[in-house]
Amino acid sequence: MIALTRFRLTAYVRSHRIYQALLPILIMLAILHSNVAPAGKEAAVLADSAALMIPFLAWATRSLLDTEPDGQRVISATSVGGPAREVAAGLLAALGANVLFAAVALAAALVIGIATPITGPVLAAGVALHLIAALTGTALGALTSRPILPSPAVSIMVLILGYIVMLLVGRSSVYWLTVPVTGWMKAANDNRLVEQLPLIAGVSVLWVAVAFTGYAWLRRTRP
């Protein structure tokens, strides 16, 4: 399974699809950090960076999982001992790529977005949010990938609408139904991100777990 994960990452890079995700991410980061944040807004910069990365990471996941032909997935499942391992290898490959993209976003925020020293707890919270963004983007992208939604137009629309719904629900009283992206942005602007991080992380991880489970279940009836 690890070999299949490495194979998919290599195919993602060699097919140049990685640049289809990387270039928009770099443009977004350049715009986001065009002005250096004032003192006291370090947490807000990190929270905004993580939140805005999610649709780009979902796009990257969708692109990675769509790289190989449908028949190749059948061959991969046979070679690794079953469809469950094939599904897991794809998710691991997508998550690996997204963690790299999230690290680029975090580094950009720390280097060009923040001019004042940052405290350890705020930095740890920023790292956690970018990891949550990588997990969320992987889950959303997997649910809109070609094995689940064969139509590219429908897939893209569902991806965008899914992110918008996430933002809207995240600011409502039922924020626990999704990843509370809007909630962590508000908490960061109110300088309460560190104290609210356990709740944010718990709700987010639960949603991601449900999303991955749903993806694995849907893949049972799709090639």
Side-chain angles (χ1 to χ4, degrees):
M1 191 176 73
I2 299 301
L4 180 58
T5 301
R6 187 165 52 246
F7 168 77
R8 281 180 164 156
L9 283 170
T10 302
Y12 184 53
V13 173
R14 290 186 177 181
S15 66
H16 295 168
R17 292 195 178 194
I18 188 174
Y19 301 112
Q20 296 177 6
L22 180 60
L23 293 179
I25 287 173
L26 293 178
I27 293 172
M28 183 274 291
L29 292 174
I31 296 173
L32 177 63
H33 302 306
S34 57
N35 293 318
V36 178
K41 290 298 182 180
E42 296 83 6
V45 171
L46 296 176
D48 291 348
S49 172
L52 292 175
M53 281 293 292
I54 291 175
F56 294 93
L57 298 178
W59 172 268
T61 298
R62 178 180 172 276
S63 179
L64 188 149
L65 294 177
D66 291 352
T67 299
E68 60 187 7
D70 294 337
Q72 180 63 46
R73 281 193 290 272
V74 178
I75 297 173
S76 298
T78 303
S79 64
V80 297
R85 291 187 176 185
E86 184 272 327
V87 169
L91 292 176
L92 282 174
L95 181 59
N98 283 343
V99 167
L100 176 61
F101 291 140
V104 171
L106 178 62
L110 294 174
V111 174
I112 64 177
I114 299 173
T116 54
I118 186 171
T119 63
V122 172
L123 176 59
V127 173
L129 289 185
H130 281 79
L131 288 175
I132 292 172
L135 287 167
T136 305
T138 302
L140 180 59
L143 289 172
T144 56
S145 60
R146 186 158 55 88
I148 307 301
L149 298 175
S151 170
V154 173
S155 173
I156 293 173
M157 287 190 294
V158 172
L159 190 156
I160 295 173
L161 288 175
Y163 180 64
I164 293 174
V165 169
M166 192 177 294
L167 293 176
L168 294 176
V169 175
R171 61 179 299 177
S172 69
S173 59
V174 290
Y175 64 89
W176 44 269
L177 289 175
T178 185
V179 177
V181 178
T182 313
W184 80 47
M185 295 171 71
K186 184 178 185 303
N189 279 283
D190 295 341
N191 292 321
R192 300 178 59 192
L193 177 61
V194 174
E195 63 183 84
Q196 293 188 10
L197 183 62
L199 175 62
I200 291 170
V203 172
S204 301
V205 171
L206 179 60
W207 184 90
V208 168
V210 172
F212 282 153
T213 302
Y215 173 73
W217 183 81
L218 290 171
R219 281 294 308 274
R220 292 176 60 191
T221 58
R222 289 166 173 81

